[in-house]
Amino acid sequence: MAQPNYRAPKGTADMLPDIARVWEHLLLVAQDLFARYGYEPVYSPVFEHTDVFVRGIGEATDIVGKEMYTFEDKGGRSITLRPEGTASVVRAVLEHNLTANGQSTKLYYSGPMFRYERPQAGRTRQFWQIGVEALGMADPTADAEVIALMMQFFEDAGLPRERLQLLINSIGDENCRPVYRDTIAQFIRSHAGDLCEECVRRAETNPLRAFDCKNEGCRTVMGQAPQLRDELCDDCAAHYAAVKTNLDAVGVSYIEDPTLVRGLDYYTRTVFEVQAEGLGAQSAIGGGGRYDRLVEVFGGQPTPGLGFALGFERMFLALQAAGVEVPRPEIAEVFVARTVPELATEAFAITQRLRDGEIAAEMDHQGRSLKAQMKVADRLGAQFVVLVGPDEVAAGQVTLRDMTTKDEQRVDIADVVDVLYEALADVYMDEAEDMLDAIDGSEEI
RNA sequence: GUGGGUGUAGCUCAGUUGGUUAGAGCGUCGGACUGUGGCUCCGAAGGUCGCGGGUUCGAGACCCGUCAUCCACCCCA
């Protein structure tokens, strides 16, 4: 329709089958992989009290400052659609005391997030994320494990490693970061003449983000600034070194990026981001880090935490750019066609009989000609067609057509399911053998 | 919030310096001797040319506005 009465709201999109299939593929890959790493699923509400995000993510962040979908509900409460997952999950963990007595927890979540932004390639107002949160683990092995898990996800999802860049950095903790912040703020003020207005303003709000500025001049100036890696306190430096050692130990390659500063206030020490090819200007496909103070922000006992999140829309773009296809499964193994409209009920009964036998069966519900039904059967990828005609029905039979060989045989209706079991088994055996041959031909087993 | 591009059949797009019944490919539907698919051939359906206003004898094409969409800035997944 050129001018529909209704459209999906700006920044949202309908996930039609070709896309929804990829979503489900990603979800399945994640469920399988994350479980192997000891993570359990959690579903927190899609909206929270606004304060959860304001305090959790940080008042000075762009997310809280201008991107939240906030509204008042009928009870006068300020409610916000979640712009990210970590704050909600940590709130839930605390609310249910999952980290009592020093217990650790590993959780993963997935679902839509909401941010009021101007849409562009790889950025929508409603977007899907999947992420993990690990609470109660301070060791650098945990950092390495979370990062390794994220990289493994990309691999399992079919995204070639060579199209990805893993960037890591340490942004210090409550001891060394404030000192460094002041150092940078000072640096910015003393170079105010050579920096853009935005960066000068950042000196007062969030000086570290001046490193992120795309402006050429700012980049060169900030390149001269003291680097946090040289200013880390002993504990943070040791932790960061150990994270790298552990990544090295398991063969996860990374690039150290001293300018990597994430836009959420809760991060401490380790931060990381993965960039992928083919995403347009929004090249980050996933990211995360450690947040050792976040639980306290919500009033809990000091509890270390860390996690990552990655975006499905961007995964989709990256997979597409890499030429990775998620196969479309056959919709029907068997199509039941009737030669005359009067036999619709008989055809329906047989279709249901097949489905009861767990055979993927389909039939026509539009009263179409036999020829048209055959076309549909072909398009759906049916291996066999069950022909229901007056002659057959009179004899309590149907005609079974093999769509590959075109062989046809009469089968008693009572035996259709069993005959199809065997016929389909043969088909699948042949396919399996072909696959094995293909593997044999290409690599040693 | 700022800037730029684009808006023609279900999809991808053509539509010459404004001129008569708006086109193609794909898809869909039907047919090619009567109960049968994939190839080929033939045919059909389907368009308020985003919307509103203006210029003109005449606008899908030009101007203004508006809406939508895309891309970029910002920031992030």
Side-chain angles (χ1 to χ4, degrees):
Chain A
M1 225 191 276
Q3 183 205 20
N5 288 324
Y6 295 101
R7 292 167 169 267
K10 183 190 274 289
T12 67
D14 298 308
M15 301 301 170
L16 300 179
D18 281 344
I19 294 174
R21 186 159 40 245
V22 176
W23 256 233
E24 302 206 334
H25 161 71
L26 294 176
L27 234 25
L28 284 172
V29 167
Q31 285 165 1
D32 184 60
L33 175 65
F34 294 176
R36 260 188 284 148
Y37 273 72
Y39 286 84
E40 294 187 286
V42 63
Y43 287 82
S44 66
V46 170
F47 57 85
E48 295 274 350
H49 291 294
T50 300
D51 208 38
V52 168
F53 302 121
V54 173
R55 299 196 55 194
I57 298 170
E59 212 131 8
T61 61
D62 280 2
I63 292 178
V64 171
K66 53 187 191 189
E67 297 172 3
M68 295 207 300
Y69 271 96
T70 299
F71 60 95
E72 189 173 287
D73 73 5
K74 295 187 180 188
R77 290 169 281 258
S78 179
I79 296 295
T80 294
L81 264 34
R82 61 180 181 194
E84 57 102 50
T86 302
S88 302
V89 171
V90 169
R91 191 229 82 226
V93 165
L94 251 179
E95 181 168 335
H96 304 285
N97 217 6
L98 300 184
T99 51
N101 301 318
Q103 292 290 305
S104 66
T105 335
K106 288 171 145 184
L107 299 169
Y108 73 89
Y109 62 87
S110 66
M113 305 295 163
F114 307 85
R115 257 123 96 159
Y116 190 87
E117 297 185 273
R118 194 75 171 263
Q120 71 182 76
R123 177 203 276 164
T124 50
R125 290 183 172 180
Q126 175 177 149
F127 56 99
W128 279 77
Q129 280 193 171
I130 189 160
V132 308
E133 309 295 348
L135 278 295
M137 293 176 275
D139 286 0
T141 45
D143 304 53
E145 183 181 284
V146 164
I147 292 171
L149 171 57
M150 181 169 70
M151 298 313 289
Q152 188 62 46
F153 174 79
F154 293 127
E155 187 178 329
D156 287 7
L159 206 51
R161 172 67 231 234
E162 58 268 24
R163 301 183 68 89
L164 301 172
Q165 272 200 329
L166 169 61
L167 308 177
I168 67 169
N169 189 28
S170 174
I171 57 172
D173 63 9
E174 71 277 14
N175 295 316
C176 50
R177 184 142 64 134
V179 177
Y180 180 67
R181 276 178 70 123
D182 289 345
T183 306
I184 291 302
Q186 282 295 346
F187 179 87
I188 292 175
R189 288 191 206 100
S190 62
H191 293 75
D194 303 322
L195 295 165
C196 68
E197 291 177 28
E198 182 63 28
C199 283
V200 174
R201 199 174 322 130
R202 280 171 174 144
E204 313 310 323
T205 55
N206 198 341
L208 298 196
R209 266 200 273 156
F211 284 111
D212 265 349
C213 192
K214 299 281 196 309
N215 188 305
E216 277 290 330
C218 293
R219 292 201 84 99
T220 41
V221 174
M222 292 310 291
Q224 308 300 312
Q227 302 229 322
L228 177 54
R229 69 162 94 172
D230 302 322
E231 313 280 325
L232 291 176
C233 61
D234 292 347
D235 286 350
C236 286
H239 185 91
Y240 186 45
V243 171
K244 288 186 284 184
T245 301
N246 279 287
L247 287 173
D248 294 338
V250 296
V252 174
S253 55
Y254 51 84
I255 299 167
E256 287 188 74
D257 179 0
T259 70
L260 179 62
V261 181
R262 317 218 77 238
L264 294 83
D265 281 358
Y266 53 61
Y267 286 120
T268 54
R269 293 190 166 173
T270 314
V271 293
F272 52 91
E273 181 171 303
V274 173
Q275 305 199 334
E277 292 175 27
L279 297 190
Q282 309 303 321
S283 55
I285 193 171
R290 181 170 276 285
Y291 45 84
D292 290 341
R293 299 268 80 87
L294 182 56
V295 171
E296 285 161 77
V297 168
F298 288 136
Q301 293 299 307
T303 306
L306 72 167
F308 68 73
L310 47 91
F312 275 21
E313 282 79 1
R314 293 183 188 179
M315 276 295 293
F316 179 83
L317 292 175
L319 286 169
Q320 195 170 252
V324 178
E325 305 236 344
V326 174
R328 178 185 183 205
E330 282 164 6
I331 290 177
E333 296 170 293
V334 178
F335 191 92
V336 180
R338 74 244 175 298
T339 62
V340 292
E342 296 72 44
L343 290 173
T345 299
E346 284 74 4
F348 177 53
I350 291 169
T351 304
Q352 289 296 87
R353 184 193 283 257
L354 297 178
R355 289 168 174 162
D356 288 344
E358 305 206 359
I359 291 170
E362 184 56 292
M363 65 173 283
D364 165 71
H365 293 291
Q366 302 182 83
R368 303 219 262 187
S369 70
L370 179 59
K371 190 188 189 73
Q373 293 178 71
M374 291 300 291
K375 278 190 178 178
V376 174
D378 188 58
R379 198 173 57 221
L380 296 181
Q383 305 282 352
F384 296 92
V385 165
V386 170
L387 277 166
V388 183
D391 298 349
E392 291 90 333
V393 170
Q397 295 184 315
V398 293
T399 295
L400 187 59
R401 177 183 177 87
D402 183 323
M403 291 295 272
T404 312
T405 64
K406 300 186 179 181
D407 291 339
E408 296 191 353
Q409 61 177 118
R410 289 286 201 105
V411 179
D412 288 342
I413 290 177
D415 301 332
V416 187
V417 175
D418 288 335
V419 172
L420 276 169
Y421 278 155
E422 284 191 34
L424 285 167
D426 285 346
V427 170
Y428 295 138
M429 281 300 288
D430 288 348
E431 282 178 6
E433 276 172 26
D434 289 349
M435 281 177 68
L436 283 175
D437 287 348
I439 293 169
D440 264 346
S442 57
E443 60 188 80
E444 286 301 311
I445 300 178

